[in-house]
Amino acid sequence: MKLFILTRRSLIALALCLLAGLTAVGVTVSSASQAVQTAATPKINPIYRVASTKKQVAISFDAAWGNEQTGELLDILDRCQVKATFFLVGEWVDKYPDDVKTIAQRGHDVGNHSNTHPHMPQLSRDMASAEVSACNDKIKALTGKAPTLFRPPYGDYDNKVVETVKQLGMYCVQWDVDSLDWKDPSPEQMCKTVLDKVTDGSIVLMHNGAKNTPAALPSIIEGIKDKGYEIVLIRDLIPEGEYYTDVQGELHLTEN
């Protein structure tokens, strides 16, 4: 029979090994617990499009920087007898207050695109709420009406952002048809991109400031109408009542 004699040095080594093992187990258990908790939290989607049997489509523009195209876009919309939704950043509102008033006066809807164009998920709930509220206040001061629609900058959101917007009594809105005008495609390419993707309840994304948007807009509007769609404001696309968004971000009314 062999005897194992534990010296002071071997006892210390054994204790260190046991401590390392317990620490590793603790980290593994903690990580697994966090993973389970994250997986158990359902993702909340903004509104990408609206489930509808009506042949309606909404056109939207994001405005965060220059205003060189604003007048031209508004004139095109007037000639085509179409109303659109403009999502404005608060800093843009500060720079171009007359344009904000003109957009509203011509019958278009003014939406909220945050106050300073940050990545919203990086903010605390209080900071996110302050971003939205500050932009709302600026727009209301100029138009007399606070926005009911919010679009997160960069399309960047998480559950916290969507929940914060809803708590403010607003809709968090994305898009399901990206014109890709920010990539400076040709007007023909832009038109094809939009017309290939629009469907009942679609929301089209364009920008106030993209290179070829004014050149493409008349053909996009004409093409949408030729497909039998009515172009409406996003607020008119969204039905009244309690709703939920599915995994695709499509809005559905909640059944009673």
Side-chain angles (χ1 to χ4, degrees):
M1 182 176 67
K2 294 182 179 180
L3 295 176
F4 294 93
I5 300 174
L6 295 177
T7 65
R8 185 170 181 271
R9 179 177 292 179
S10 61
L11 283 172
I12 293 173
L14 180 60
L16 289 174
C17 290
L18 288 172
L19 180 61
L22 289 173
T23 301
V25 171
V27 170
T28 303
V29 171
S30 175
S31 300
S33 176
Q34 291 175 2
V36 170
Q37 184 177 7
T38 301
T41 304
K43 181 181 179 183
I44 306 173
N45 284 316
I47 300 167
Y48 281 82
R49 65 174 180 266
V50 176
S52 176
T53 57
K54 298 179 180 179
K55 291 188 70 65
Q56 293 181 328
V57 169
I59 291 177
S60 63
F61 298 89
D62 288 357
W65 292 280
N67 75 326
E68 294 81 7
Q69 295 179 352
T70 307
E72 185 178 4
L73 292 173
L74 291 175
D75 289 343
I76 293 170
L77 292 168
D78 280 352
R79 288 198 302 271
C80 296
Q81 298 182 324
V82 165
K83 304 302 179 186
T85 304
F86 286 77
F87 288 95
L88 310 181
V89 171
E91 292 178 343
W92 194 93
V93 174
D94 292 335
K95 292 179 181 178
Y96 311 112
D98 290 340
D99 286 340
V100 179
K101 293 177 183 178
T102 301
I103 290 170
Q105 289 167 355
R106 293 205 190 182
H108 305 287
D109 200 15
V110 180
N112 184 321
H113 198 34
S114 81
N115 192 46
T116 63
H117 209 265
H119 286 277
M120 297 291 288
Q122 297 178 7
L123 307 180
S124 67
R125 287 182 183 269
D126 287 344
M127 292 172 66
S129 179
E131 272 284 328
V132 179
S133 297
C135 185
N136 271 358
D137 292 343
K138 292 177 180 181
I139 292 172
K140 185 176 181 180
L142 292 171
T143 67
K145 182 180 179 181
T148 59
L149 306 176
F150 173 77
R151 174 170 286 162
Y154 312 103
D156 193 10
Y157 71 92
D158 59 8
N159 284 9
K160 174 188 62 186
V161 173
V162 180
E163 290 169 344
T164 298
V165 172
K166 192 168 185 179
Q167 287 169 1
L168 291 171
M170 303 173 68
Y171 295 96
C172 192
V173 178
Q174 297 276 68
W175 62 88
D176 68 315
V177 180
D178 188 348
S179 68
L180 300 177
D181 57 354
W182 50 278
K183 289 186 174 181
D184 294 337
S186 69
E188 294 76 19
Q189 290 172 324
M190 199 185 310
C191 187
K192 185 177 187 306
T193 296
V194 172
L195 297 182
D196 283 350
K197 295 181 179 180
V198 290
T199 187
D200 298 351
S202 279
I203 298 172
V204 181
L205 169 67
M206 289 191 273
H207 294 82
N208 174 27
K211 179 180 177 181
N212 291 319
T213 301
L217 184 56
S219 296
I220 289 174
I221 291 173
E222 181 181 358
I224 290 174
K225 289 182 176 180
D226 286 346
K227 290 170 74 74
Y229 292 104
E230 176 189 11
I231 300 175
V232 301
L233 296 171
I234 294 176
R235 72 182 185 203
D236 295 328
L237 195 64
I238 298 175
E240 294 184 1
E242 292 296 319
Y243 71 93
Y244 68 94
T245 51
D246 63 20
V247 294
Q248 301 297 326
E250 186 173 71
L251 180 151
H252 301 263
L253 286 178
T254 303
E255 296 182 4
N256 296 326

